[in-house]
Coordinates of all heavy atoms in Angstrom, one line a residue:
G163 N 4.7 6.2 1.9 CA 5.9 6.4 1.0 C 6.4 5.2 0.3 O 5.9 4.9 -0.8
V164 N 7.3 4.5 1.0 CA 7.8 3.3 0.4 C 6.8 2.2 0.1 O 6.9 1.3 -0.8 CB 9.0 2.7 1.2 CG1 10.2 3.8 1.2 CG2 8.6 2.3 2.6
G165 N 5.8 2.1 1.1 CA 4.8 1.1 1.0 C 4.0 1.2 -0.2 O 3.8 0.3 -1.2
V166 N 3.5 2.5 -0.4 CA 2.7 2.7 -1.7 C 3.5 2.9 -3.0 O 3.2 2.4 -4.0 CB 1.7 4.0 -1.5 CG1 1.1 4.5 -2.8 CG2 0.7 3.7 -0.4
G167 N 4.6 3.7 -2.7 CA 5.4 3.9 -3.9 C 6.1 2.6 -4.5 O 6.0 2.4 -5.7
T168 N 6.7 1.7 -3.6 CA 7.3 0.6 -4.1 C 6.3 -0.5 -4.4 O 6.4 -1.2 -5.3 CB 8.4 0.1 -3.2 OG1 9.4 1.2 -2.9 CG2 9.2 -1.2 -3.7
G169 N 5.3 -0.5 -3.7 CA 4.3 -1.5 -3.8 C 3.6 -1.4 -5.1 O 3.3 -2.3 -5.9
S170 N 3.2 -0.1 -5.5 CA 2.7 0.2 -6.7 C 3.6 0.0 -7.9 O 3.1 -0.5 -8.9 CB 2.3 1.7 -6.8 OG 1.3 1.9 -5.7
G171 N 4.8 0.3 -7.6 CA 5.9 0.0 -8.7 C 5.9 -1.5 -9.0 O 6.1 -1.9 -10.2
L172 N 5.7 -2.3 -8.0 CA 5.9 -3.7 -8.2 C 4.6 -4.3 -8.9 O 4.8 -5.1 -9.8 CB 5.9 -4.4 -6.8 CG 7.2 -4.3 -6.0 CD1 7.2 -4.7 -4.5 CD2 8.2 -5.3 -6.6
A173 N 3.5 -3.8 -8.4 CA 2.1 -4.3 -9.0 C 2.1 -3.9 -10.5 O 1.7 -4.7 -11.3 CB 1.1 -3.7 -8.3
Q174 N 2.6 -2.7 -10.8 CA 2.6 -2.2 -12.3 C 3.5 -3.0 -13.1 O 3.4 -2.9 -14.3 CB 2.8 -0.8 -12.3 CG 1.7 0.0 -11.8 CD 2.0 1.5 -11.8 OE1 1.8 2.2 -12.8 NE2 2.3 2.0 -10.6
R175 N 4.6 -3.7 -12.5 CA 5.4 -4.4 -13.3 C 5.1 -5.9 -13.2 O 5.8 -6.9 -13.7 CB 6.9 -4.3 -12.6 CG 7.5 -3.0 -12.9 CD 8.8 -2.9 -12.1 NE 9.5 -1.6 -12.5 CZ 9.3 -0.4 -12.0 NH1 8.2 -0.2 -11.3 NH2 10.0 0.6 -12.5
G176 N 3.9 -6.2 -12.7 CA 3.4 -7.6 -12.8 C 3.6 -8.5 -11.7 O 3.3 -9.7 -11.7
Y177 N 4.3 -7.9 -10.6 CA 4.5 -8.7 -9.3 C 3.3 -8.9 -8.5 O 2.6 -7.9 -8.5 CB 5.7 -8.2 -8.6 CG 7.0 -8.2 -9.3 CD1 7.5 -7.1 -10.0 CD2 7.8 -9.3 -9.2 CE1 8.7 -7.2 -10.6 CE2 9.0 -9.4 -9.9 CZ 9.5 -8.3 -10.5 OH 10.7 -8.4 -11.3
R178 N 3.2 -9.9 -7.7 CA 2.2 -10.1 -6.7 C 2.8 -9.5 -5.5 O 3.8 -9.8 -5.1 CB 1.9 -11.5 -6.5 CG 0.8 -11.8 -5.4 CD 0.8 -13.3 -5.0 NE -0.2 -13.6 -4.1 CZ -0.3 -14.6 -3.3 NH1 0.6 -15.7 -3.6 NH2 -1.1 -14.8 -2.4
V179 N 2.0 -8.5 -4.9 CA 2.5 -7.7 -3.8 C 1.9 -8.1 -2.5 O 0.6 -8.1 -2.4 CB 2.3 -6.3 -4.0 CG1 3.0 -5.4 -2.9 CG2 2.8 -5.8 -5.4
I180 N 2.6 -8.5 -1.4 CA 2.1 -8.9 -0.2 C 2.3 -7.8 0.8 O 3.6 -7.4 0.9 CB 2.7 -10.2 0.2 CG1 2.6 -11.3 -0.8 CG2 2.1 -10.6 1.7 CD1 1.3 -11.7 -1.2
V181 N 1.3 -7.2 1.5 CA 1.4 -6.1 2.2 C 1.0 -6.5 3.7 O -0.1 -6.5 4.1 CB 0.4 -5.0 1.7 CG1 0.5 -3.7 2.5 CG2 0.6 -4.8 0.2
P182 N 2.0 -6.9 4.5 CA 1.7 -7.1 5.9 C 1.6 -5.9 6.6 O 2.5 -5.1 6.8 CB 2.9 -7.9 6.4 CG 4.0 -7.5 5.4 CD 3.4 -7.1 4.1
I183 N 0.4 -5.5 7.0 CA 0.1 -4.1 7.5 C 0.8 -3.9 8.9 O 1.0 -2.7 9.3 CB -1.4 -4.0 7.7 CG1 -2.1 -4.9 8.5 CG2 -2.1 -3.8 6.3 CD1 -3.5 -4.5 9.0
D184 N 1.2 -4.9 9.6 CA 1.8 -4.8 10.9 C 3.3 -4.7 10.7 O 4.1 -4.6 11.7 CB 1.4 -5.9 11.8 CG 1.9 -7.3 11.3 OD1 2.0 -7.5 10.1 OD2 2.1 -8.2 12.2
C185 N 3.8 -4.7 9.4 CA 5.2 -4.4 9.2 C 5.5 -3.3 8.3 O 6.6 -3.0 7.9 CB 5.7 -5.7 8.4 SG 5.7 -7.2 9.3
L186 N 4.5 -2.4 8.2 CA 4.6 -1.0 7.5 C 4.0 0.0 8.5 O 2.9 -0.1 8.9 CB 3.8 -1.1 6.2 CG 4.5 -1.9 5.1 CD1 3.5 -2.5 4.1 CD2 5.5 -0.9 4.4
S187 N 4.8 1.0 8.6 CA 4.4 2.0 9.6 C 4.5 3.4 9.0 O 5.2 3.7 8.0 CB 5.3 2.0 10.8 OG 6.7 2.3 10.4
S188 N 3.9 4.3 9.7 CA 3.9 5.8 9.3 C 4.2 6.6 10.5 O 4.1 6.2 11.7 CB 2.5 6.2 8.5 OG 2.5 5.4 7.4
E189 N 4.2 7.9 10.3 CA 4.3 8.8 11.3 C 3.0 8.9 12.3 O 3.1 9.2 13.5 CB 4.5 10.3 10.9 CG 5.8 10.4 10.0 CD 5.6 10.0 8.5 OE1 4.6 9.4 8.2 OE2 6.4 10.6 7.7
D190 N 1.9 8.6 11.7 CA 0.6 8.6 12.4 C -0.3 7.5 11.8 O -0.2 7.1 10.7 CB 0.1 10.0 12.4 CG -0.2 10.5 10.9 OD1 -1.1 9.9 10.3 OD2 0.5 11.4 10.5
P191 N -1.4 7.2 12.5 CA -2.3 6.2 12.1 C -3.1 6.5 10.8 O -3.4 5.7 10.0 CB -3.3 6.1 13.3 CG -2.6 6.6 14.4 CD -1.7 7.7 14.0
Y192 N -3.4 7.9 10.6 CA -4.1 8.2 9.4 C -3.4 7.9 8.1 O -3.9 7.4 7.2 CB -4.4 9.8 9.4 CG -5.3 10.1 8.2 CD1 -6.6 9.8 8.0 CD2 -4.6 10.7 7.0 CE1 -7.3 10.1 6.9 CE2 -5.3 10.9 5.9 CZ -6.7 10.7 5.9 OH -7.4 11.1 4.7
N193 N -2.1 8.2 8.1 CA -1.3 7.8 6.9 C -1.2 6.3 6.7 O -1.2 5.9 5.5 CB 0.2 8.4 7.1 CG 0.3 9.7 6.7 OD1 -0.3 10.3 5.8 ND2 1.2 10.4 7.4
E194 N -1.2 5.5 7.7 CA -1.3 4.1 7.6 C -2.7 3.6 7.1 O -2.7 2.7 6.2 CB -0.9 3.3 8.9 CG 0.4 3.4 9.4 CD 0.7 2.8 10.6 OE1 0.0 1.9 11.0 OE2 1.7 3.2 11.4
Q195 N -3.7 4.2 7.6 CA -5.1 3.9 7.1 C -5.2 4.3 5.6 O -5.7 3.4 4.8 CB -6.1 4.7 8.0 CG -7.5 4.4 7.6 CD -8.5 5.1 8.3 OE1 -8.5 6.4 8.4 NE2 -9.5 4.5 9.1
Y196 N -4.7 5.4 5.2 CA -4.8 5.8 3.8 C -4.1 4.9 3.0 O -4.6 4.5 1.9 CB -4.2 7.2 3.7 CG -3.6 7.4 2.3 CD1 -4.3 7.5 1.2 CD2 -2.2 7.5 2.3 CE1 -3.7 7.7 -0.1 CE2 -1.6 7.7 1.1 CZ -2.3 7.8 -0.1 OH -1.7 7.9 -1.2
A197 N -2.8 4.5 3.4 CA -2.0 3.7 2.6 C -2.6 2.3 2.4 O -2.6 1.6 1.4 CB -0.6 3.6 3.2
A198 N -3.1 1.7 3.5 CA -3.7 0.4 3.4 C -4.8 0.3 2.5 O -5.0 -0.5 1.8 CB -4.1 -0.1 4.9
W199 N -5.7 1.4 2.6 CA -6.9 1.5 1.7 C -6.6 1.7 0.3 O -7.1 1.0 -0.6 CB -7.8 2.6 2.1 CG -9.1 2.6 1.4 CD1 -9.5 3.5 0.4 CD2 -10.1 1.7 1.5 NE1 -10.7 3.2 -0.2 CE2 -11.1 2.0 0.5 CE3 -10.4 0.6 2.1 CZ2 -12.4 1.3 0.3 CZ3 -11.6 -0.2 2.1 CH2 -12.5 0.2 1.1
H200 N -5.5 2.4 0.0 CA -5.0 2.6 -1.4 C -4.5 1.3 -2.0 O -4.8 1.0 -3.1 CB -3.7 3.6 -1.3 CG -3.1 3.9 -2.7 ND1 -3.6 4.9 -3.4 CD2 -2.3 3.2 -3.5 CE1 -3.0 4.9 -4.6 NE2 -2.2 3.9 -4.6
M201 N -3.8 0.5 -1.3 CA -3.3 -0.7 -1.8 C -4.5 -1.8 -1.9 O -4.4 -2.7 -2.7 CB -2.2 -1.3 -0.8 CG -1.0 -0.5 -0.8 SD -0.1 -0.1 -2.4 CE 0.4 -1.7 -2.9
F202 N -5.4 -1.6 -1.0 CA -6.5 -2.6 -1.0 C -7.7 -2.4 -2.0 O -8.0 -3.2 -2.7 CB -7.2 -2.7 0.4 CG -8.3 -3.6 0.5 CD1 -8.3 -4.9 0.5 CD2 -9.7 -3.0 0.8 CE1 -9.4 -5.8 0.6 CE2 -10.7 -3.8 0.9 CZ -10.6 -5.2 0.7
K203 N -8.0 -1.1 -2.2 CA -9.2 -0.8 -3.0 C -9.1 0.6 -3.6 O -9.7 0.8 -4.7 CB -10.5 -0.9 -2.2 CG -11.7 -0.9 -3.0 CD -12.9 -1.2 -2.2 CE -14.2 -1.2 -3.2 NZ -15.4 -1.6 -2.4
G204 N -8.4 1.6 -3.0 CA -8.5 3.0 -3.4 C -7.6 3.3 -4.5 O -7.8 4.3 -5.3
G205 N -6.5 2.5 -4.8 CA -5.6 2.8 -5.8 C -6.0 2.3 -7.2 O -7.1 1.8 -7.3
P206 N -5.1 2.4 -8.2 CA -5.5 2.0 -9.5 C -5.7 0.5 -9.6 O -5.2 -0.3 -8.7 CB -4.2 2.3 -10.4 CG -3.5 3.4 -9.6 CD -3.9 3.1 -8.1
A207 N -6.5 0.0 -10.5 CA -6.9 -1.3 -10.6 C -5.8 -2.3 -10.7 O -5.7 -3.4 -10.1 CB -7.9 -1.7 -11.7
V208 N -4.7 -1.9 -11.4 CA -3.6 -2.8 -11.7 C -2.8 -2.9 -10.2 O -2.1 -4.0 -10.0 CB -2.6 -2.2 -12.6 CG1 -1.9 -0.8 -12.1 CG2 -1.5 -3.2 -13.0

C-alpha cells in the first residue's frame, strides 16, 4: 500500500527512493514479496 503507492509517487516526481525491506511490512509474506519485486523490477521503468 504505502510502500508501493508513496514510493511510486516519489519516483515519478524524480526523487531517489530508498526501500529498506526490513522496515516495510504487510499482512503476509506474499504481499511483501510482490511489493519488493514491484519496486525492484516489476513496476514501471520510472
